[in-house]
Amino acid sequence: MPQLETTPELRTETMTVNMGPQHPSTHGVLRLVLELSGETVVNADTTVGYLHTGIEKTAEQKKWQQVIPLVERMDYLGAQSNSLAFCLAVEKLLGVEMPDRVTDIRVLIAELQRIASHLVWMATHALEIGAVSVMMYCFRERELLLNINEMLAGFRMFPSYLRIGGLREDLPADFHKTVKEFLDRFGPKLDEYEGLLTRNQIWLKRTKGVGVLSMQDTLDYGLVGPIARAAGVAYDVRRAFPYLGYDTYEFDVPVGSAGDVYDRYLVRVEEMRQSASISRQALERITPRGVYDIQDYRIVPPPKDKVYTEMEALIQHFLIYSQGFTVPAGEAYVPVEGPRGEHGFSIVSDGTNRPYRIKLRAPSFYACQGLPKLIVGGMIADVIAVIGSTDVVMGDVDR
Amino acid sequence: MDSTAIIDALLRENPGDPSWFEPVDSADGMPTVYVLAEHLVDTCRVLRDSPELRFVLLADITAVDYLPRTPRFEVIYLLVCPGTSGFGTTPRRLRLKVRLPAGATIPTVSTVWPAANWAERELYDMFGIVVEGHPDLRRILMPEDWEGHPGLRDYPVQIKMPVKTYEPLQLTEQEFVANIETARSQSHRE
């Protein structure tokens, strides 16, 4: 009987797969080089920088108040959380205190911004895992928030409504009614979306136990924000280092325990509820008309009717628009709790009318750095779920 | 806890010379301490591990270029003690600063906080500060063949640079087939 040739030994070699930079689920232009063994990811290399626009360098050439539209374009889903952090830092250096009404309006705007950002996250995250209808619904609600932005400042994504020293102008007519209508509508709608996902068998199978990160790891990698809270670290800047009078609002900091994709989902959904509750409290405190800046006309432009009638106001108006204002020399870092975690600007002033240096503490930058930690050892199909759950915004990473 | 109290706690944990540290006032009221570059890593380790301090979180690393002052750079480490879930008792912040002359290197703190890895790459990318002992010191935001470090104050910003384009890898059909066959024969031989 002739000797049968045995099949050669099973080949076990890894395969390198390039994912991105133009992959629809990478939330912008993130490139991952994955090394796969079968369907398991054994190594991952992250490349960022495709969206680097040098905003921090550009800001050094601009006057202080010209920086606001620039920084809003960094984290483009949480635009007003950027400008809020920047304004607070500059105001810290200027040593000015905002009137209560301005502070309350800022809280309202920051919380609505958080809801808008989380809605986009939920929409895209669900879409990537296969729940297409959730995407349609979330974008419908976000549209209403963009309409509110349009009401405020005429610009939907980057309103530049928050200014150093207050707000751009007073609230528009019918603002209270519109926001209240949105909040009344949003609560039941959110329950409906949760009904689509939270107990959904497919959703649970795709998210539970996937991309697990321990408490220690989240802190080691600087992933504070919803990712750390899902792992059990109850750190929220609004609680730990209260700003804008957040200590006078009633709200819970939702905390998970498993640190997986599912818990991150639960934490963010609950955060939206809390944000809606804070928005309601803030809305009650805000009067429809009132002061909207510090009325120090060395920092904010004087009202137009005064500019037309008073010499002093005309001079101040001219100075603000030609030379800006100077900020005392020094260094400030004021963190805020953005939709993605701790957001804060380190700003340095040399006492002139232009920033000496600004630097954003970008939560997505650190989330991107932690990605290999989350996806290595998992399945390739889970990579998409994990990237979605970290809620990275590439504009925030690359700045 | 102000900056002098933090220095006292540091010296209690890790006996050293008080002249290594220098407390300063900052405009935003955050405790600020200067440390000598050669004692940076030890200090960071104590700041993270000491039960009194527990700065377990590195929020950010950034640098400021104070041209023409000497020393030229200040590297800033923003540290946080979250004060919850077993990580410290009260939330605290600390700004740790290192003065760095032009051309000097700084030791890596990515051994203390893994989060420092990319932040230090950005430091190198933007300011050309070489981080000694870093596991993977490459540019991160700028292209790898970029000239200069854009964070520097003397980096020209008003000049026009030609747009650089890259040609895709061009292979003839014969080269393509040859490549495939070499790869195939190699993998069979193994």
Side-chain angles (χ1 to χ4, degrees):
Chain A
M1 197 169 172
Q3 183 97 34
L4 276 178
E5 203 179 320
T6 53
T7 48
E9 223 175 294
L10 197 64
R11 280 201 285 142
T12 52
E13 59 186 37
T14 59
M15 182 180 181
T16 309
V17 174
N18 181 56
M19 183 176 162
Q22 268 96 17
H23 193 279
S25 70
T26 52
H27 297 240
V29 277
L30 166 70
R31 180 172 174 226
L32 286 168
V33 180
L34 303 171
E35 200 184 330
L36 305 173
S37 165
E39 282 193 58
T40 315
V41 182
V42 290
N43 205 355
D45 186 26
T46 330
T47 310
V48 299
Y50 295 99
L51 226 52
H52 179 60
T53 41
I55 291 176
E56 282 160 3
K57 184 73 180 170
T58 313
E60 292 171 13
Q61 332 294 323
K62 303 282 177 196
K63 294 182 206 103
W64 286 100
Q65 72 270 39
Q66 290 175 320
V67 177
I68 288 176
L70 280 175
V71 296
E72 288 206 338
R73 279 155 181 77
M74 285 177 162
D75 176 357
Y76 44 79
L77 294 182
Q80 305 196 77
S81 140
N82 298 356
S83 49
L84 176 66
F86 181 73
C87 290
L88 288 178
V90 178
E91 281 157 12
K92 192 85 158 195
L93 277 186
L94 284 166
V96 293
E97 281 288 319
M98 287 301 118
D100 285 347
R101 184 166 182 269
V102 174
T103 311
D104 294 336
I105 296 175
R106 284 180 172 183
V107 169
L108 176 64
I109 289 174
E111 294 307 322
L112 292 180
Q113 182 72 72
R114 187 186 325 276
I115 296 176
S117 171
H118 280 3
L119 280 173
V120 176
W121 157 78
M122 195 166 165
T124 51
H125 185 38
L127 174 73
E128 285 153 15
I129 300 185
V132 182
S133 35
V134 177
M135 190 270 277
M136 299 293 182
Y137 292 147
C138 287
F139 271 103
R140 180 182 63 193
E141 257 52 70
R142 181 191 180 232
E143 187 68 17
L144 299 174
L145 285 164
L146 293 182
N147 287 346
I148 292 175
N149 276 352
E150 193 177 349
M151 250 181 110
L152 279 172
F155 205 140
R156 293 160 66 78
M157 289 281 280
F158 313 111
S160 300
Y161 183 65
L162 308 179
R163 296 289 165 95
I164 297 162
L167 307 166
R168 195 178 81 119
E169 58 190 338
D170 205 353
L171 295 176
D174 283 349
F175 179 76
H176 276 60
K177 192 170 141 270
T178 318
V179 176
K180 198 159 179 319
E181 269 172 17
F182 169 77
L183 292 174
D184 288 342
R185 178 194 162 94
F186 181 65
K189 290 288 178 201
L190 189 58
D191 295 340
E192 206 175 289
Y193 306 158
E194 257 212 295
L196 286 171
L197 296 176
T198 308
R199 294 273 162 266
N200 182 329
Q201 276 296 328
I202 302 171
W203 184 259
L204 288 168
K205 286 214 165 118
R206 286 302 305 272
T207 57
K208 261 198 175 274
V210 173
V212 181
L213 208 56
S214 72
M215 247 204 272
Q216 186 64 48
D217 281 343
T218 58
L219 289 171
D220 280 351
Y221 283 88
L223 303 176
V224 283
I227 303 177
R229 285 195 286 275
V233 183
Y235 172 74
D236 186 314
V237 185
R238 294 174 293 177
R239 268 286 151 75
F241 305 96
Y243 56 97
L244 290 181
Y246 265 111
D247 37 353
T248 62
Y249 290 88
E250 251 178 61
F251 65 98
D252 294 330
V253 176
V255 177
S257 53
D260 57 0
V261 174
Y262 185 65
D263 269 25
R264 275 170 229 146
Y265 157 78
L266 288 183
V267 162
R268 286 204 181 92
V269 169
E270 188 51 33
E271 261 178 35
M272 282 197 260
R273 287 220 172 77
Q274 296 301 328
S275 287
S277 147
I278 299 172
S279 304
R280 266 180 210 286
Q281 296 170 43
L283 196 64
E284 264 171 37
R285 297 183 192 185
I286 302 166
T287 51
R289 297 252 149 260
V291 284
Y292 58 89
D293 57 29
I294 46 166
Q295 294 171 316
D296 178 343
Y297 301 125
R298 286 166 303 174
I299 297 169
V300 294
K304 273 288 181 320
D305 54 329
K306 279 192 183 162
V307 174
Y308 291 137
T309 51
E310 291 172 24
M311 191 63 209
E312 187 69 17
L314 181 65
I315 295 170
Q316 281 160 338
H317 173 92
F318 180 72
L319 279 177
I320 286 274
Y321 284 107
S322 60
Q323 293 171 16
F325 51 87
T326 58
V327 172
E331 202 173 311
Y333 175 77
V334 181
V336 304
E337 183 70 32
R340 268 156 277 282
E342 183 180 315
H343 243 301
F345 275 96
S346 305
I347 61 165
V348 180
S349 170
D350 59 346
T352 59
N353 60 349
R354 288 166 209 272
Y356 191 79
R357 165 140 173 85
I358 71 168
K359 163 80 166 71
L360 174 71
R361 193 266 170 201
S364 301
F365 185 73
Y366 291 93
C368 251
Q369 173 172 220
L371 267 183
K373 182 92 191 156
L374 284 161
I375 56 185
V376 168
M379 308 293 275
I380 183 160
D382 293 339
V383 171
I384 309 287
V386 168
I387 296 176
S389 78
T390 53
D391 193 17
V392 289
V393 167
M394 295 316 285
D396 196 25
V397 177
D398 298 338
R399 307 183 296 283
Chain B
M1 216 177 202
D2 64 355
S3 33
T4 38
I6 289 172
I7 294 178
D8 288 343
L10 269 173
L11 291 173
R12 266 200 302 278
E13 278 300 313
N14 191 20
D17 194 346
S19 67
W20 296 349
F21 309 105
E22 182 195 337
V24 281
D25 289 329
S26 65
D28 60 352
M30 196 191 292
T32 306
V33 173
Y34 279 101
V35 63
L36 298 180
E38 58 262 37
H39 301 297
L40 175 69
V41 180
D42 289 340
T43 307
C44 286
R45 197 160 281 131
V46 178
L47 283 169
R48 184 194 62 181
D49 293 336
S50 150
E52 240 181 304
L53 300 164
R54 289 301 266 158
F55 287 102
V56 287
L57 176 67
L58 173 79
D60 207 2
I61 302 179
T62 171
V64 186
D65 176 8
Y66 286 107
L67 190 80
R69 204 203 278 177
T70 44
R72 180 170 174 179
F73 298 107
E74 271 185 11
V75 183
I76 301 159
Y77 299 80
L78 293 168
L79 311 181
V80 186
C81 165
T84 53
S85 326
F87 299 99
T89 45
T90 44
R92 276 195 310 269
R93 282 181 181 276
L94 172 68
R95 184 187 279 123
L96 194 66
K97 286 186 167 192
V98 179
R99 292 195 183 92
L100 206 66
T105 60
I106 192 160
T108 178
V109 296
S110 60
T111 46
V112 185
W113 297 284
N117 188 324
W118 276 24
E120 285 176 341
R121 277 176 70 184
E122 195 185 333
L123 201 66
Y124 165 70
D125 193 0
M126 292 294 143
F127 292 92
I129 296 173
V130 175
V131 184
E132 223 165 312
H134 190 280
D136 179 27
L137 197 64
R138 284 178 293 145
R139 283 185 183 273
I140 184 161
L141 297 178
M142 306 301 287
E144 292 199 348
D145 53 356
W146 193 263
E147 281 171 33
H149 299 278
L152 299 174
R153 289 301 284 192
D154 55 0
Y155 182 84
V157 286
Q158 300 283 336
I159 53 164
K160 279 227 158 44
M161 298 269 274
V163 177
K164 198 179 256 179
T165 52
Y166 298 88
E167 286 292 313
L169 184 65
Q170 296 293 330
L171 284 181
T172 62
E173 203 177 322
Q174 289 79 19
E175 282 172 319
F176 183 77
V177 172
N179 273 354
I180 297 263
E181 273 169 2
T182 332
R184 193 169 289 156
S185 63
Q186 270 175 355
S187 66
H188 276 294
R189 219 179 297 130
E190 277 162 8

